[in-house]
């Protein structure tokens, strides 16, 4: 490092604004190790406490992007648009959205992450597909994009390597919640993909990373502003995560729901969020003139079966078993499936996504620590949703578990998360805000 780390840390600690060359120097130290662990933790804490100006956040984002390889896609003449979600319970949108938007003529390079805690990760869902490869090299990622219009892979050491060390340090230093650090972490990897535009799905509600709506709006504004400053088109939707998305919760169960959705059997909430994000992507790509036209295009492709074909082609390209499209049973099944039954008549008055997400982690379907293994087959399938009528003995949900004991424990948690009462409630507005 050209600058002494302690000087830069003190400057940010005392509320000063770092210059671009100082930020680039810090990020270089992150990558080559000249910025020690204690120094990195101190810097991140200073940012967490004092924030960053928009200019600083943009400089940090670009420095992190440039810490590794930045992809170009000379053989893909179409607009390249990605989507990123801040995560939740049952959020399998990416698996539907990528082939849907690719079918409309937009290239979708998508680098995704694994789940941690109660939030599921796209990479874990894809890992539930027999043979499917997400450990693609950058060259393999580009080839998949060229061949089928979209590619889905986990981050590797070539792309934005500074983020890997910074993210791990944030996790152990209590600095995860910093808006500038979240913004730079998300956008540095997305910009390294070689995209022209990005649509953000920022979730708010009990099971969202940003549970408070005002915090979620600040994150939306930060990502849109910094993304545009970095030279890409960005729009964002604020969506509800006060209840799960869809009915399948758990990796293979969510893939099975996606396969049914490809055939037209799609839960209303999953369909609406997918179409809304897809329409934004088409608008950014310039292949539709307005949101209504974009939505109509996507619905037509979905109904005609084109999306199903694109999904199956991607399976073939990335090593997945294409037979699952016709035979979802090939995904496998947990050995114990237990119904959670209503104990009284009335209406389902809550479907607590946070409680259900923790129940899935307890079943082995999620991680408490990054190194934890994940059982792809366990999870929960909702038979009822908020406001549905229930009679005594009706199934509220089905628990899929590895053991009978685990099934019994999860069933009790699901029953508590899905109370039945006299009042008939409706879900909050699904699409809360748009920033474009």
């Amino acid at each position: 490092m050209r600058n002494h780390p302690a000087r830069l840390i003190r400057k940010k600690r005392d509320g000063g604004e770092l210059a671009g060359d100082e930020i680039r120097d810090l990020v270089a130290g992150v990558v080559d190790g000249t910025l020690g662990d204690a120094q990195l933790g101190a810097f991140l804490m200073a940012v967490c406490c004092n924030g960053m100006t928009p200019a600083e956040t943009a400089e940090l984002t670009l420095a992190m992007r440039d810490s590794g390889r930045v992809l170009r896609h000379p053989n893909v003449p179409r607009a390249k648009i990605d989507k990123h979600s801040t995560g939740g319970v049952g959020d399998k949108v990416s698996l539907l959205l990528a082939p849907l938007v690719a079918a409309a003529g937009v290239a979708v390079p998508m680098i995704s992450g694994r789940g941690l805690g109660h939030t599921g990760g796209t990479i874990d869902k894809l890992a539930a597909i027999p043979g499917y490869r997400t450990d693609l090299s950058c060259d393999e990622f580009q080839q998949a994009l060229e061949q089928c219009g979209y590619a889905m892979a986990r981050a590797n050491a070539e792309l934005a390597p500074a983020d890997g060390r910074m993210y791990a340090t944030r996790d152990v230093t209590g600095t995860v919640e910093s808006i500038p650090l979240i913004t730079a972490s998300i956008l540095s990897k997305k910009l390294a993909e070689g995209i022209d535009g990005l649509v953000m799905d920022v979730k708010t509600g009990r099971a969202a990373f940003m549970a408070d709506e005002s915090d979620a709006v600040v994150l939306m504004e930060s990502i849109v502003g910094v993304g545009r400053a970095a030279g890409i088109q960005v729009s964002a939707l604020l969506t509800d995560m006060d209840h799960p998305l869809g009915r399948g919760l758990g990796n293979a169960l969510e893939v099975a729901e996606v396969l049914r959705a490809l055939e037209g059997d799609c839960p209303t909430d999953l369909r609406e969020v997918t179409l809304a994000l897809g329409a934004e992507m088409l608008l950014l790509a310039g292949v539709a003139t307005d949101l209504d036209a974009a939505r109509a295009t996507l619905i037509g492709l979905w109904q005609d079966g084109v999306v199903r074909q694109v999904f199956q082609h991607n399976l073939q390209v990335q090593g997945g078993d294409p037979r699952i499209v016709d035979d979802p049973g090939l995904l496998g099944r947990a050995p114990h499936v237990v119904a959670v039954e209503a104990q009284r008549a009335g209406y389902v008055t809550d479907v607590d996504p946070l409680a259900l997400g923790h129940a899935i982690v307890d079943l082995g379907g999620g991680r408490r620590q990054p190194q934890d293994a994940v059982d792809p087959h366990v999870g929960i399938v909702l038979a009822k949703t908020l406001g549905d009528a229930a009679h005594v003995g009706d199934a509220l949900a089905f628990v899929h578990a590895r053991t009978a004991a685990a099934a019994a424990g999860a069933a009790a948690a699901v029953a508590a998360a899905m109370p039945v009462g006299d009042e008939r409630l409706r879900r909050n507005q699904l699409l809360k805000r748009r920033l474009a």
Side-chain angles (χ1 to χ4, degrees):
M1 293 181 62
R2 295 185 301 274
N3 294 280
H4 194 287
R7 184 183 71 80
L8 300 182
I9 293 166
R10 284 195 301 270
K11 184 175 181 180
K12 178 46 64 180
R13 180 201 65 190
D14 296 338
E17 181 174 353
L18 297 176
D21 66 312
E22 292 174 323
I23 290 173
R24 289 189 292 273
D25 198 19
L26 280 164
V27 172
V30 170
V31 176
D32 66 19
T34 54
L35 188 70
D37 290 341
Q39 293 168 325
L40 175 56
F43 168 69
L44 295 173
M45 185 59 72
V47 171
C48 189
C49 292
N50 292 320
M52 277 186 150
T53 67
E56 283 180 299
T57 306
E59 289 285 359
L60 178 63
T61 300
L62 293 173
M64 291 168 64
R65 177 200 67 182
D66 294 338
S67 67
R69 183 173 174 182
V70 179
L71 298 183
R72 301 287 183 259
H73 305 285
N75 298 323
V76 182
R78 295 180 288 173
K80 291 159 279 290
I81 312 293
D82 193 8
K83 162 262 179 187
H84 182 77
S85 168
T86 55
V89 175
D91 183 7
K92 71 280 294 178
V93 167
S94 291
L95 276 67
L96 269 177
L97 184 65
L100 178 63
V101 173
V106 179
V108 184
M110 189 175 285
I111 300 292
S112 299
R114 304 189 310 166
L116 184 60
H118 71 276
T119 60
T122 296
I123 294 302
D124 293 324
K125 303 180 205 306
L126 293 170
I129 300 173
Y132 195 92
R133 286 190 58 216
T134 59
D135 58 337
L136 304 180
S137 68
C138 289
D139 291 339
E140 290 172 324
F141 181 77
Q142 290 179 298
Q143 290 165 9
L145 185 66
E146 294 168 13
Q147 290 177 47
C148 63
Y150 77 95
M152 307 184 83
R154 65 180 184 231
N156 62 44
E158 293 184 79
L159 298 179
D163 181 63
R165 186 176 171 211
M166 291 175 70
Y167 189 92
T169 306
R170 285 167 56 206
D171 193 41
V172 298
T173 56
T175 57
V176 170
E177 295 82 3
S178 167
I179 295 290
L181 297 178
I182 296 169
T183 300
S185 177
I186 291 172
L187 285 177
S188 62
K189 295 190 292 288
K190 293 300 180 182
L191 292 169
E193 295 173 345
I195 57 174
D196 303 307
L198 174 68
V199 176
M200 279 296 304
D201 177 7
V202 178
K203 298 195 177 296
T204 186
R206 288 176 290 180
F209 180 68
M210 291 289 181
D212 184 83
E213 186 169 328
S214 62
D215 291 338
V217 171
V218 172
L219 179 60
M220 284 176 71
E221 293 172 344
S222 176
I223 290 175
V224 169
V226 173
R228 289 174 179 170
I232 63 170
Q233 302 179 79
V234 190
S235 64
L237 296 180
L238 185 69
T239 66
D240 176 67
M241 188 37 70
D242 218 33
H243 293 88
L245 192 60
R247 292 176 178 261
L249 315 177
N251 296 305
L253 298 172
E254 295 186 40
V255 175
E257 184 166 76
V258 168
L259 296 176
R260 291 191 298 272
L262 291 172
E263 305 290 349
D265 179 15
C266 186
T268 301
D269 57 351
L270 177 59
R271 174 184 168 88
E272 288 308 304
V273 171
T274 302
L275 288 173
L277 292 166
E280 295 286 346
M281 293 173 75
L282 265 58
L283 209 59
L284 291 187
V287 300
T289 55
D290 57 63
L291 291 174
D292 289 339
R295 181 183 172 92
T297 295
L298 296 172
I299 291 172
L301 293 166
W302 200 334
Q303 292 174 341
D304 291 346
V306 179
V307 182
R308 182 181 186 274
Q309 295 172 10
V310 174
F311 182 92
Q312 194 165 37
H313 187 199
N314 176 262
L315 291 179
Q316 294 167 339
V317 169
Q318 294 197 219
D321 188 344
R323 297 176 300 166
I324 66 166
V325 175
D326 298 309
D327 185 5
L330 293 171
L331 292 170
R333 181 183 171 100
H336 294 271
V337 179
V338 174
V340 180
E341 298 179 350
Q343 300 302 305
R344 57 158 290 182
Y347 301 98
V348 177
T349 58
D350 195 11
V351 184
D352 185 340
L354 189 58
L356 295 175
H358 287 311
I360 292 169
V361 173
D362 290 341
L363 286 167
R367 295 182 182 84
R368 291 187 177 87
Q369 299 295 331
Q371 67 273 15
D372 290 349
V374 169
D375 186 334
H377 298 121
V378 301
I380 299 161
V381 177
L382 303 178
K384 303 281 188 182
T385 58
L386 185 69
D388 284 353
H391 302 284
V392 175
D394 281 357
L396 301 175
F398 295 91
V399 172
H400 293 239
R402 184 60 49 190
T403 67
V414 172
M418 299 181 68
V420 176
D422 296 325
E423 187 178 5
R424 189 168 198 176
L425 302 174
R426 299 294 183 190
R427 183 170 183 166
N428 296 331
Q429 184 178 354
L430 191 60
L431 305 174
K432 293 177 171 291
R433 190 175 301 202
R434 176 176 182 250
L435 183 58

